[in-house]
Amino acid sequence: MLKARVPAMAENLQELHNEVLRLKTARNAVILAHNYQLPEVQDVADFVGDSLELSRKAAGVEADWIIFCGVDFMAETAKIINPGKRVFIPDARALCPMAGMLDVEDVVRAKKEHPGAPVLLYVNTSAACKAEADYACTSANAVQIAKAIPEKEVLFGPDFNLLEFVQERVPEKNFHPMPARGFCPTHGRITALEIYDLKKAHPASEIIAHPECTRNVREMADHIASTSGMLKIARESPATEFIIATECGMAYRLRKELPQKKFYDVNVTCPRMKLHTLKKVRDSLEFGQYEITVPKEIAEKALKSIQRMMQMTG
């Protein structure tokens, strides 16, 4: 039975941090956080990573509870992968706008228009859409998955920028977008002019762009990578300065893990990712809010595309 009382407000972040650690132990919980989370949330997490890394971590969780600090489709994926665990998201309003651009009806319609073409869906989609997919992918492995699919005609959604990135690297196949122009509003706000100005101010910097960025931004980049790829590149590169074209939370992680290097970002924020605060993480642990559920039939169908992705990428 969850407690009905409202806990006293913590006076500062350190007190909240300590409360979260105490409650995490009491609930036998783990906290998973995406790279775009607030610093205070990243600092209390058991693991911080990108969508693929978090999926792998969720699959191996042995704790009773998973507190997932990310957007809705990520928490859904954790529940699908590890259905025996209770999965919670600290703020139920953390909905991915890109995922909301693709409906199940869109996928079903595209399958009818292109019979025999397999469906490759970015993980930034609902569980219901994944249930109609043959393969799932993340920005870290989209090219790898696309190359491994035997068919030449492939249905892909919902991010058109990621589709362009994949098409450039897998030219032997034809990718059909679902919907026509799905996109990430946050990455869409990163402009080539902003990157140009940063490069002018920091000419020694290498530019690393997320594949969800527009073509104009990607063409300016020295590297195009998922957030996990950004960390790997920055760690291994002899360069000491980097311009990071993605949501600003990633720059915090980079600065934290590689303090000897300098990172410049365009200060673009995902408002949905940033809904999770340390207080909401505490409340999620205290009151069991907000629990993620996925209908069994949908979860079982969606699991196949996710498992296939994880098997294909090792």
Side-chain angles (χ1 to χ4, degrees), residues 48-105:
V48 179
D50 66 8
S51 296
L52 180 59
E53 292 173 318
L54 292 171
S55 294
R56 294 193 183 283
K57 281 292 178 181
V61 166
E62 296 182 356
D64 297 325
W65 284 23
I66 298 173
I67 307 297
F68 208 113
C69 301
V71 283
D72 54 336
F73 74 83
M74 298 178 180
E76 279 188 341
T77 301
K79 182 64 178 178
I80 291 167
I81 291 173
N82 207 335
K85 307 302 178 183
R86 299 185 70 184
V87 179
F88 302 87
I89 191 166
D91 193 315
R93 299 170 299 165
L95 309 175
C96 174
M98 182 200 296
M101 294 177 189
L102 184 67
D103 295 326
V104 176
E105 292 76 13

Side-chain angles (χ1 to χ4, degrees), residues 238-303:
T240 58
E241 297 182 66
F242 300 88
I243 294 166
I244 305 300
T246 192
E247 207 271 355
C248 63
M250 187 61 201
Y252 171 76
R253 185 181 178 195
L254 288 164
R255 293 179 186 123
K256 181 178 179 180
E257 297 205 18
L258 300 170
Q260 74 278 18
K261 298 191 176 187
K262 294 182 179 179
F263 299 93
Y264 311 104
D265 67 88
V266 292
N267 197 30
V268 170
T269 298
C270 174
R272 304 299 178 88
M273 283 283 193
K274 293 297 194 281
L275 284 171
H276 304 307
T277 65
L278 200 54
K279 179 182 180 300
K280 290 175 184 176
V281 174
R282 188 276 310 278
D283 290 348
S284 190
L285 284 162
E286 180 78 15
F287 301 114
Q289 60 189 36
Y290 296 90
E291 187 161 8
I292 297 294
T293 59
V294 181
K296 184 178 180 182
E297 182 180 356
I298 290 176
E300 289 176 349
K301 290 181 179 179
L303 179 61

Side-chain angles (χ1 to χ4, degrees), residues 221-233:
D222 299 292
H223 312 276
I224 302 173
S226 67
T227 51
S228 62
M230 290 180 176
L231 180 59
K232 184 176 187 294
I233 289 167

Side-chain angles (χ1 to χ4, degrees), residues 44-239:
V44 80
D46 295 285
F47 182 79
V48 179
D50 66 8
S51 296
L52 180 59
E53 292 173 318
L54 292 171
S55 294
R56 294 193 183 283
K57 281 292 178 181
V61 166
E62 296 182 356
D64 297 325
W65 284 23
I66 298 173
I67 307 297
F68 208 113
C69 301
V71 283
D72 54 336
F73 74 83
M74 298 178 180
E76 279 188 341
T77 301
K79 182 64 178 178
I80 291 167
I81 291 173
N82 207 335
K85 307 302 178 183
R86 299 185 70 184
V87 179
F88 302 87
I89 191 166
D91 193 315
R93 299 170 299 165
L95 309 175
C96 174
M98 182 200 296
M101 294 177 189
L102 184 67
D103 295 326
V104 176
E105 292 76 13
D106 298 325
V107 181
V108 173
R109 186 182 310 112
K111 290 167 76 171
K112 290 180 179 178
E113 292 172 354
H114 301 275
V119 176
L120 172 59
L121 287 187
Y122 196 19
V123 291
N124 299 45
T125 47
S126 68
C129 284
K130 290 187 185 75
E132 294 291 333
D134 299 288
Y135 306 88
C137 71
T138 71
S139 57
N141 62 24
V143 171
Q144 182 182 356
I145 299 291
K147 284 183 177 179
I149 294 174
E151 290 85 357
K152 182 178 179 180
E153 305 292 324
V154 180
L155 298 170
F156 187 97
D159 185 28
F160 186 78
N161 291 314
L162 180 61
L163 180 150
E164 278 190 333
F165 173 74
V166 172
Q167 182 71 81
E168 291 161 4
R169 285 152 182 78
V170 193
E172 68 273 16
K173 295 185 181 180
N174 297 319
F175 296 92
H176 305 279
M178 306 176 299
R181 284 273 176 178
F183 67 98
C184 168
T186 297
H187 285 96
R189 294 200 304 273
I190 300 174
T191 67
L193 179 59
E194 289 174 295
I195 301 302
Y196 173 82
D197 288 343
L198 281 171
K199 182 68 174 180
K200 188 175 180 180
H202 309 284
S205 298
E206 290 186 357
I207 301 170
I208 314 177
H210 196 280
E212 288 181 17
C213 291
T214 63
R215 182 194 294 272
N216 288 342
V217 172
R218 297 197 311 271
E219 287 178 344
M220 297 181 68
D222 299 292
H223 312 276
I224 302 173
S226 67
T227 51
S228 62
M230 290 180 176
L231 180 59
K232 184 176 187 294
I233 289 167
R235 182 178 285 131
E236 296 177 357
S237 173

